[in-house]
């Protein structure tokens, strides 16, 4: 069933779509929600207990703060890529959809890696530690096949033209991180330093070197909340390195002691 303009206005008791802030369409047997591509001002949306499969019409609902999608037919977590632009989204209820799978822990980490701004997922509060873990262990959510975003490379040029461009290494690293945080990709003019011939000669080392450049460039666009997430993730990573170093030193000391005894 397709949700129509007339139905939306009747349910919201509004005169135009632009003025609709909250809408409850629970259990309406909906399959087509394309009307939401015209509702950029919607803030709270209840679509639970329907037959919705695609979330693409929600990509333009930039004011959306709460989204309830429990018990629908969303087939894959790749549909969450359509929610990345929604930087105000804080509450998502996605449980009891086919995309949730059987591993509830991995499902949750993957959703939070894709949408790290969430404060509540499936009626359960999200912690900073959980976000940090999700950024390290959650699976990367890719754009669904056939989506317009997949038809061009990260800088809007055909893949054949950018495949061997060393500048693209930096752009891919930066835009990959930005995508995971629901941010818009940067254009090529943000990377002028990579256009020089001397840089192009060092192509093999670009990808590793410019991962750090990408992260540092990204930090400029993060707000306080997002910086705290990065801070927690960084601390967790440093703890892992510290533990590995201590284990190595202990092993080395044990070996030295054994050598002396012999």
């Amino acid at each position: 069933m397709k949700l129509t303009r007339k139905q939306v206005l009747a349910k919201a008791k509004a005169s135009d779509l632009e003025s609709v802030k909250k809408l409850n369409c629970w259990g309406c047997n909906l399959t087509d929600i394309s009307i939401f591509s015209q509702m950029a001002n919607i803030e709270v949306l209840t679509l639970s207990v329907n037959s919705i499969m695609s979330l693409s019409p929600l990509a333009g609902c930039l004011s959306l703060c709460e989204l309830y999608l429990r018990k629908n037919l969303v087939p894959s977590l790749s549909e969450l890529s359509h929610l990345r632009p929604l930087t105000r989204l804080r509450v998502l209820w996605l449980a009891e959809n086919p995309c949730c799978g059987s591993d509830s822990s991995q499902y949750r980490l993957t959703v939070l890696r894709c949408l790290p701004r969430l404060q509540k997922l499936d009626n359960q509060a999200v912690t900073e530690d959980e976000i940090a873990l999700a950024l390290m262990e959650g699976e990367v959510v890719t754009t669904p096949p056939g989506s317009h975003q997949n038809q061009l490379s990260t800088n809007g040029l055909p893949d054949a033209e950018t495949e061997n461009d060393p500048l693209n290494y930096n752009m891919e690293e930066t835009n990959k991180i930005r995508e995971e945080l629901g941010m818009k990709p940067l254009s090529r003019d943000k990377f002028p330093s990579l256009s020089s011939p001397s840089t192009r000669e060092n192509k093999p080392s670009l990808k590793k070197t410019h991962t750090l450049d990408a992260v540092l460039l990204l930090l400029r666009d993060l707000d306080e909340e997002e910086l705290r997430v990065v801070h927690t993730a960084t601390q967790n990573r440093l703890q892992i390195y510290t533990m590995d170093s201590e284990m190595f030193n202990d092993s080395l000391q044990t070996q030295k002691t054994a050598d002396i005894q012999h």
Side-chain angles (χ1 to χ4, degrees), residues 3 23 30 32-48 52-69 72 74 79-87 89 91-94 115:
L3 182 63
L23 186 66
L30 298 177
D32 185 338
I33 57 171
S34 56
I35 187 67
F36 291 115
S37 62
Q38 305 174 45
M39 299 177 60
N41 296 324
I42 189 79
E43 296 177 358
V44 179
L45 181 56
T46 300
L47 294 171
S48 297
I52 298 165
M53 298 181 67
S54 175
L55 304 183
S56 60
L58 302 177
C61 299
L62 302 182
S63 298
L64 197 60
C65 301
E66 299 182 22
L67 177 60
Y68 301 92
L69 288 164
N72 271 279
V74 180
E79 288 295 323
L80 294 179
S81 64
H82 299 299
L83 304 184
R84 283 194 181 111
L86 312 185
T87 58
L89 186 63
V91 177
L92 174 65
W93 200 332
L94 189 64
L115 304 172

Side-chain angles (χ1 to χ4, degrees), residues 80-119:
L80 294 179
S81 64
H82 299 299
L83 304 184
R84 283 194 181 111
L86 312 185
T87 58
R88 297 183 182 180
L89 186 63
R90 294 295 181 269
V91 177
L92 174 65
W93 200 332
L94 189 64
E96 299 177 79
N97 272 274
C99 64
C100 299
S102 57
D103 189 341
S104 59
S105 178
Q106 188 60 40
Y107 147 77
R108 188 172 176 87
L109 290 177
T110 298
V111 173
L112 293 177
R113 174 167 182 168
C114 180
L115 304 172
R117 294 183 178 88
L118 289 180
Q119 296 176 353

Side-chain angles (χ1 to χ4, degrees), residues 118-135:
L118 289 180
Q119 296 176 353
K120 183 178 287 188
L121 173 61
D122 296 338
N123 205 35
Q124 181 179 342
V126 175
T127 66
E128 287 188 5
D129 287 343
E130 193 175 19
I131 291 291
L133 182 63
L135 292 176

